[in-house]
Amino acid sequence: MKGFSFASTAIAAASLLASSVVAADVDPIVIKGSKFFYKTNGTQFFMKGVAYQQDIINANSSSAKTQYSDPLANAAACARDIPLLQQLQTNTIRVYAIDPTQDHTKCMQMLQNAGIYLIADLSQPSQSINRDTPSWNNDLYARYTSVVDSLANYTNVLGFFAGNEVSNQANNTGASAFVKAAVRDTKAYIKQENYRTMGVGYATNDDAAIRANLASYFNCGDPATAIDFWGYNIYSWCGDSTFHESGFDVRTQEFASYSVPVFFAEYGCNTPSPRQFTEVGALYGTNMTPVWSGGIVYMYFQEANNYGLASVISDTSVSKLPDFTALSSQIAKVTPSGVNSASYTPTNTQARSCPATGTDWRAAASPLPPSPNPQLCSCMYQGLSCVVKSSVSTTDYGTLFGTVCGYPGNACSGINATLGNFGAYSMCNATEQLAFAFNQYAAGQTNNPSACDFGGAATTKATQSPNAACRALVSQAGTAGTGTVTSAPSGTGSGSGSGSGSSSTASKAAAGLVTVPAFNFGMLQLGVYAVGAAMAGAGMILL
């Protein structure tokens, strides 16, 4: 196909870039019941969205990349692509990973000029909740809250995804507990920082065995832990299908009484190719708009997976592909009809019941993993007299966890990673956790002066007198680390969300506390070490 020349949109793009510095804020999108509305005029909002990010791989994949390109930090690319997004009547884009240290002002204001809103995933390929070894820890919390900080003051930010297809089959549904904890803590952070209301949701896959339990789990229980909206990655309408053949009719029935907004977080089956996008008429038609708030087409950029609407030729030029033309034609035919906020009284206000745990669902509704709290971990570490030697390689941590957790006693109770039974320090980094376990074991060996050794991996240090804040935190955790800490985490301390991605201290409440360099194990992975070592521990010679 003939390449799309930048010259045909040069004037529009230049206008976007030039006016970005004086862009007016757009009307924020708000949630009422199970629908989105423009805040000022109350008109119902339906997403006409496009996924917008080059070369990103699902962070749960074993081949996940650690490098990614932030699509909101490239003003030239935004100027090049936004005019084409406007041709598709795009009012929402989804990005999968941003760099919160970058300046997003130009792109975000160009998007505002075009009336385009943003949903941003909070993770990035090397910092996410992994389905096989899930964790919700201080490092991930810092990542998630830094993304919130960097985007909070742009009024065209609709909300965030705390996870994307993390649980994809029954045997890894336990990972959903960690995602729900991330939802809880991100929502609490937005409120804590007095940011305007922004939703936090989850993007799910369409696996028949677990999709109903997933939808119920993230919607059930305490509203403070439940998702604000539900994104559905669905590819069941392939080719010239129908509302019934695709299963869209059944999915619509399933969510007819769901208490929060639902939309397609990804859609657009590419078999056969090129796509015709005949599902657009159904998604924005009378059968679906009473339930669904539109959707996001996967995706703008042409990559190896052949889902692109456009192919990048250079920094200033792209080629529109046949899928672009098809989507443009279909989207031009639809005018979704909704309700006005003032005349809308939600009736589907009942949250779903939490699914029972068993072989087909492993995530308990309560308790969830504890909230990350760097101050708590630092306070705990200050009080330890037996810690990990700094010379110990992190590659040896697995064996050391297996050793100490395999000994008789409860040295690892405070770092316990068993689903439904989380220790207060289970969100600390691995060095802090291993030091806690070493110290717990050594403290119980009053008649063994060599207890703090562990084959040369441990050493003694002087304890520090805790201040009042530390005493309160550690007291809540309890001597064994099995208590419940109710004090809220302090976040990244990135300031008041300047919108420029700037950051200051690592943790406002933890200033001046001990920082322990380390890496983080997945919490279930740590649980495997503990359980596996229990069988071998009886045969070990106690230190």
Side-chain angles (χ1 to χ4, degrees):
M1 180 181 180
K2 184 179 179 181
F4 177 77
S5 170
F6 179 73
S8 64
T9 59
I11 295 177
S15 176
L16 279 168
L17 188 58
S19 63
S20 66
V21 294
V22 293
D25 289 346
V26 295
D27 194 7
I29 303 300
V30 297
I31 295 171
K32 182 179 180 181
S34 60
K35 302 183 188 301
F36 293 111
F37 296 96
Y38 290 97
K39 182 178 181 179
T40 301
N41 63 23
T43 302
Q44 188 174 348
F45 178 80
F46 292 94
M47 291 182 196
K48 293 180 179 178
V50 176
Y52 184 76
Q53 184 138 16
Q54 281 186 283
D55 199 25
I56 192 79
I57 293 179
N58 190 323
N60 287 296
S61 169
S62 60
S63 60
K65 294 185 176 180
T66 57
Q67 301 297 319
Y68 61 94
S69 176
D70 183 343
L72 302 181
N74 188 337
C78 288
R80 177 196 66 199
D81 296 329
I82 288 174
L84 272 72
L85 291 170
Q86 289 179 295
Q87 290 181 29
L88 296 171
Q89 299 186 26
T90 303
N91 64 12
T92 307
I93 62 170
R94 176 184 178 184
V95 298
Y96 294 86
I98 69 158
D99 180 351
T101 67
Q102 297 296 308
D103 186 355
H104 303 108
T105 304
K106 289 183 178 179
C107 278
M108 290 301 294
Q109 292 188 337
M110 281 188 276
L111 290 167
Q112 285 190 15
N113 289 350
I116 296 175
Y117 294 83
L118 172 72
I119 293 181
D121 287 53
L122 294 169
S123 63
Q124 58 108 323
S126 63
Q127 287 184 294
S128 67
I129 299 172
N130 187 288
R131 65 172 67 101
D132 297 319
T133 57
S135 64
W136 177 236
N137 54 46
N138 292 335
D139 288 350
L140 286 176
Y141 179 76
R143 159 69 194 184
Y144 280 35
T145 55
S146 67
V147 172
V148 172
D149 286 336
S150 70
L151 297 175
N153 281 357
Y154 300 113
T155 57
N156 58 332
V157 175
L158 193 155
F160 306 95
F161 282 130
N164 179 69
E165 298 190 6
V166 177
S167 294
N168 66 353
Q169 56 191 36
N171 66 2
N172 57 39
T173 51
S176 289
F178 299 86
V179 183
K180 194 164 184 178
V183 171
R184 173 199 63 201
D185 293 335
T186 305
K187 289 174 61 168
Y189 181 75
I190 291 170
K191 184 177 181 179
Q192 171 190 306
E193 293 298 302
N194 293 316
Y195 291 140
R196 67 176 179 84
T197 300
M198 295 174 287
V200 181
Y202 178 73
T204 186
N205 66 315
D206 184 32
D207 185 277
I210 62 173
R211 60 190 173 203
N213 280 337
L214 279 165
S216 295
Y217 181 74
F218 281 96
N219 182 242
C220 75
D222 184 348
T225 71
I227 42 96
D228 297 313
F229 51 73
W230 188 246
Y232 209 149
N233 298 343
I234 185 167
Y235 295 88
S236 61
W237 186 305
C238 296
D240 193 18
S241 188
T242 69
F243 181 57
H244 300 290
E245 290 175 358
S246 64
F248 279 21
D249 58 338
V250 179
R251 304 288 83 77
T252 300
Q253 292 172 7
E254 290 170 349
F255 285 95
S257 61
Y258 208 60
S259 64
V260 299
V262 294
F263 56 93
F264 287 179
E266 291 176 6
Y267 76 94
C269 173
N270 68 347
T271 304
S273 183
R275 296 178 282 184
Q276 297 303 308
F277 287 109
T278 53
E279 68 264 47
V280 167
L283 180 58
Y284 298 98
T286 57
N287 285 329
M288 298 186 70
T289 51
V291 175
W292 301 93
S293 294
I296 299 170
V297 170
Y298 187 84
M299 82 116 54
Y300 180 79
F301 295 100
Q302 177 72 334
E303 303 285 357
N305 59 13
N306 197 37
Y307 276 92
L309 302 174
S311 179
V312 174
I313 297 174
S314 69
D315 290 343
T316 58
S317 177
V318 296
S319 172
K320 291 193 290 187
L321 300 176
D323 285 8
F324 183 103
T325 303
L327 178 60
S328 178
S329 175
Q330 294 292 346
I331 209 78
K333 299 175 184 178
V334 299
T335 306
S337 178
V339 297
N340 190 275
S341 177
S343 59
Y344 168 60
T345 301
T347 57
N348 48 336
T349 58
Q350 186 69 38
R352 292 195 174 176
S353 298
C354 297
T357 56
T359 56
D360 58 346
W361 186 258
R362 300 185 179 183
S366 180
L368 294 175
S371 296
N373 195 327
Q375 187 181 17
L376 170 64
C377 299
S378 181
C379 289
M380 172 270 287
Y381 191 84
Q382 289 182 47
L384 303 181
S385 59
C386 180
V387 297
V388 188
K389 279 186 177 178
S390 59
S391 59
V392 174
S393 171
T394 56
T395 59
D396 295 327
Y397 275 24
T399 300
L400 292 168
F401 273 118
T403 298
V404 67
C405 295
Y407 290 155
N410 299 308
C412 293
S413 296
I415 60 172
N416 189 21
T418 305
L419 285 171
N421 186 24
F422 302 101
Y425 302 118
S426 59
M427 48 66 199
C428 298
N429 69 43
T431 298
E432 292 162 334
Q433 289 183 341
L434 187 55
F436 176 81
F438 279 1
N439 192 82
Q440 286 291 100
Y441 176 78
Q445 303 297 306
T446 56
N447 296 321
N448 184 357
S450 301
C452 184
D453 182 76
F454 294 91
T459 187
T460 58
K461 75 170 183 65
T463 60
Q464 299 180 36
S465 298
N467 58 27
C470 276
R471 286 197 300 271
L473 286 170
V474 174
S475 176
Q476 290 177 37
T479 303
T482 55
T484 300
V485 178
T486 57
S487 300
S490 58
T492 62
S494 299
S496 299
S498 64
S500 65
S502 61
S503 62
S504 54
T505 59
S507 175
K508 287 177 284 189
L513 297 177
V514 176
T515 300
V516 184
F519 72 107
N520 278 291
F521 277 123
M523 294 169 75
L524 290 184
Q525 183 181 26
L526 179 54
V528 170
Y529 286 131
V531 172
M535 295 170 33
M540 295 180 181
I541 298 175
L542 299 184
L543 298 180

